[in-house]
mmCIF file of all heavy atoms in Angstrom:
data_model
loop_
_atom_site.group_PDB
_atom_site.id
_atom_site.type_symbol
_atom_site.label_atom_id
_atom_site.label_comp_id
_atom_site.label_asym_id
_atom_site.label_seq_id
_atom_site.Cartn_x
_atom_site.Cartn_y
_atom_site.Cartn_z
ATOM 1 N N TRP A 65 131.494 75.117 181.633
ATOM 2 C CA TRP A 65 130.897 75.833 180.521
ATOM 3 C C TRP A 65 131.236 75.065 179.249
ATOM 4 O O TRP A 65 132.220 74.354 179.081
ATOM 5 C CB TRP A 65 131.574 77.205 180.426
ATOM 6 C CG TRP A 65 131.311 78.005 181.686
ATOM 7 C CD1 TRP A 65 132.091 78.122 182.785
ATOM 8 C CD2 TRP A 65 130.266 79.013 181.853
ATOM 9 N NE1 TRP A 65 131.643 78.905 183.686
ATOM 10 C CE2 TRP A 65 130.466 79.586 183.207
ATOM 11 C CE3 TRP A 65 129.229 79.461 181.117
ATOM 12 C CZ2 TRP A 65 129.653 80.481 183.784
ATOM 13 C CZ3 TRP A 65 128.350 80.380 181.645
ATOM 14 C CH2 TRP A 65 128.593 80.896 182.976
ATOM 15 N N ILE A 66 130.328 75.331 178.254
ATOM 16 C CA ILE A 66 130.587 74.902 176.904
ATOM 17 C C ILE A 66 131.030 76.145 176.214
ATOM 18 O O ILE A 66 130.277 77.126 176.150
ATOM 19 C CB ILE A 66 129.371 74.395 176.128
ATOM 20 C CG1 ILE A 66 128.786 73.109 176.867
ATOM 21 C CG2 ILE A 66 129.658 74.099 174.677
ATOM 22 C CD1 ILE A 66 127.461 72.749 176.310
ATOM 23 N N CYS A 67 132.237 76.238 175.749
ATOM 24 C CA CYS A 67 132.844 77.383 175.085
ATOM 25 C C CYS A 67 132.739 77.222 173.609
ATOM 26 O O CYS A 67 133.276 76.371 172.972
ATOM 27 C CB CYS A 67 134.287 77.643 175.489
ATOM 28 S SG CYS A 67 134.526 77.969 177.189
ATOM 29 N N CYS A 68 131.888 78.068 172.976
ATOM 30 C CA CYS A 68 131.468 77.941 171.590
ATOM 31 C C CYS A 68 132.154 79.058 170.721
ATOM 32 O O CYS A 68 132.318 80.187 171.207
ATOM 33 C CB CYS A 68 129.942 78.049 171.481
ATOM 34 S SG CYS A 68 129.084 76.777 172.298
ATOM 35 N N TYR A 69 132.513 78.727 169.518
ATOM 36 C CA TYR A 69 132.891 79.652 168.473
ATOM 37 C C TYR A 69 131.815 79.498 167.314
ATOM 38 O O TYR A 69 131.752 78.504 166.677
ATOM 39 C CB TYR A 69 134.274 79.361 167.945
ATOM 40 C CG TYR A 69 135.350 79.620 168.949
ATOM 41 C CD1 TYR A 69 135.714 78.596 169.891
ATOM 42 C CD2 TYR A 69 136.050 80.833 169.075
ATOM 43 C CE1 TYR A 69 136.672 78.749 170.784
ATOM 44 C CE2 TYR A 69 137.049 81.011 169.979
ATOM 45 C CZ TYR A 69 137.366 80.032 170.854
ATOM 46 O OH TYR A 69 138.355 80.229 171.766
ATOM 47 N N VAL A 70 131.094 80.574 167.091
ATOM 48 C CA VAL A 70 130.211 80.625 165.968
ATOM 49 C C VAL A 70 130.959 81.218 164.818
ATOM 50 O O VAL A 70 131.399 82.387 164.869
ATOM 51 C CB VAL A 70 128.910 81.470 166.329
ATOM 52 C CG1 VAL A 70 127.962 81.525 165.130
ATOM 53 C CG2 VAL A 70 128.243 80.983 167.552
ATOM 54 N N ILE A 71 131.088 80.511 163.702
ATOM 55 C CA ILE A 71 131.980 80.875 162.595
ATOM 56 C C ILE A 71 131.125 81.113 161.327
ATOM 57 O O ILE A 71 130.328 80.315 161.023
ATOM 58 C CB ILE A 71 133.028 79.791 162.345
ATOM 59 C CG1 ILE A 71 133.690 79.381 163.666
ATOM 60 C CG2 ILE A 71 133.977 80.169 161.273
ATOM 61 C CD1 ILE A 71 134.589 78.226 163.510
ATOM 62 N N ASN A 72 131.475 82.233 160.724
ATOM 63 C CA ASN A 72 130.876 82.632 159.475
ATOM 64 C C ASN A 72 131.467 81.787 158.320
ATOM 65 O O ASN A 72 132.619 81.945 157.947
ATOM 66 C CB ASN A 72 131.027 84.105 159.241
ATOM 67 C CG ASN A 72 130.502 84.536 157.799
ATOM 68 O OD1 ASN A 72 129.786 83.813 157.166
ATOM 69 N ND2 ASN A 72 130.904 85.687 157.436
ATOM 70 N N MET A 73 130.706 80.924 157.656
ATOM 71 C CA MET A 73 131.238 79.939 156.633
ATOM 72 C C MET A 73 130.893 80.519 155.277
ATOM 73 O O MET A 73 131.213 79.899 154.273
ATOM 74 C CB MET A 73 130.648 78.593 156.881
ATOM 75 C CG MET A 73 130.931 77.982 158.205
ATOM 76 S SD MET A 73 132.692 77.637 158.393
ATOM 77 C CE MET A 73 132.958 76.457 157.191
ATOM 78 N N THR A 74 130.343 81.661 155.138
ATOM 79 C CA THR A 74 129.991 82.186 153.825
ATOM 80 C C THR A 74 131.059 82.990 153.240
ATOM 81 O O THR A 74 132.194 83.154 153.859
ATOM 82 C CB THR A 74 128.722 83.094 153.922
ATOM 83 O OG1 THR A 74 129.083 84.323 154.533
ATOM 84 C CG2 THR A 74 127.619 82.414 154.713
ATOM 85 N N SER A 75 130.876 83.549 152.036
ATOM 86 C CA SER A 75 131.856 84.313 151.338
ATOM 87 C C SER A 75 131.559 85.858 151.482
ATOM 88 O O SER A 75 132.079 86.696 150.769
ATOM 89 C CB SER A 75 131.924 83.990 149.841
ATOM 90 O OG SER A 75 130.631 84.184 149.238
ATOM 91 N N GLN A 76 130.659 86.189 152.359
ATOM 92 C CA GLN A 76 130.233 87.550 152.584
ATOM 93 C C GLN A 76 130.171 87.876 154.020
ATOM 94 O O GLN A 76 130.143 87.011 154.933
ATOM 95 C CB GLN A 76 128.960 87.832 151.936
ATOM 96 C CG GLN A 76 127.781 87.074 152.441
ATOM 97 C CD GLN A 76 126.533 87.341 151.681
ATOM 98 O OE1 GLN A 76 126.211 88.431 151.293
ATOM 99 N NE2 GLN A 76 125.714 86.297 151.444
ATOM 100 N N TYR A 77 130.230 89.140 154.343
ATOM 101 C CA TYR A 77 130.036 89.580 155.731
ATOM 102 C C TYR A 77 128.611 89.292 156.263
ATOM 103 O O TYR A 77 127.703 89.490 155.546
ATOM 104 C CB TYR A 77 130.352 91.081 155.907
ATOM 105 C CG TYR A 77 131.815 91.393 155.831
ATOM 106 C CD1 TYR A 77 132.490 91.614 154.635
ATOM 107 C CD2 TYR A 77 132.539 91.650 156.944
ATOM 108 C CE1 TYR A 77 133.819 91.860 154.563
ATOM 109 C CE2 TYR A 77 133.906 91.972 156.935
ATOM 110 C CZ TYR A 77 134.504 92.072 155.675
ATOM 111 O OH TYR A 77 135.833 92.326 155.638
ATOM 112 N N MET A 78 128.535 88.903 157.546
ATOM 113 C CA MET A 78 127.243 88.526 158.158
ATOM 114 C C MET A 78 127.104 89.324 159.384
ATOM 115 O O MET A 78 127.990 89.474 160.257
ATOM 116 C CB MET A 78 127.233 86.987 158.471
ATOM 117 C CG MET A 78 127.447 86.112 157.251
ATOM 118 S SD MET A 78 126.244 86.236 155.941
ATOM 119 C CE MET A 78 124.926 85.240 156.664
ATOM 120 N N ILE A 79 125.862 89.862 159.506
ATOM 121 C CA ILE A 79 125.516 90.636 160.676
ATOM 122 C C ILE A 79 124.753 89.734 161.617
ATOM 123 O O ILE A 79 123.642 89.344 161.243
ATOM 124 C CB ILE A 79 124.754 91.912 160.329
ATOM 125 C CG1 ILE A 79 125.470 92.715 159.253
ATOM 126 C CG2 ILE A 79 124.407 92.753 161.543
ATOM 127 C CD1 ILE A 79 124.629 93.842 158.629
ATOM 128 N N VAL A 80 125.215 89.391 162.831
ATOM 129 C CA VAL A 80 124.576 88.525 163.676
ATOM 130 C C VAL A 80 124.063 89.287 164.940
ATOM 131 O O VAL A 80 124.717 90.095 165.550
ATOM 132 C CB VAL A 80 125.644 87.444 164.224
ATOM 133 C CG1 VAL A 80 125.022 86.536 165.259
ATOM 134 C CG2 VAL A 80 126.220 86.721 162.958
#
Side-chain angles (χ1 to χ4, degrees):
W65 302 85
I66 301 172
C67 294
C68 300
Y69 292 87
V70 181
I71 307 170
N72 175 14
M73 300 297 292
T74 72
S75 59
Q76 60 184 322
Y77 283 82
M78 304 296 279
I79 305 168
V80 177

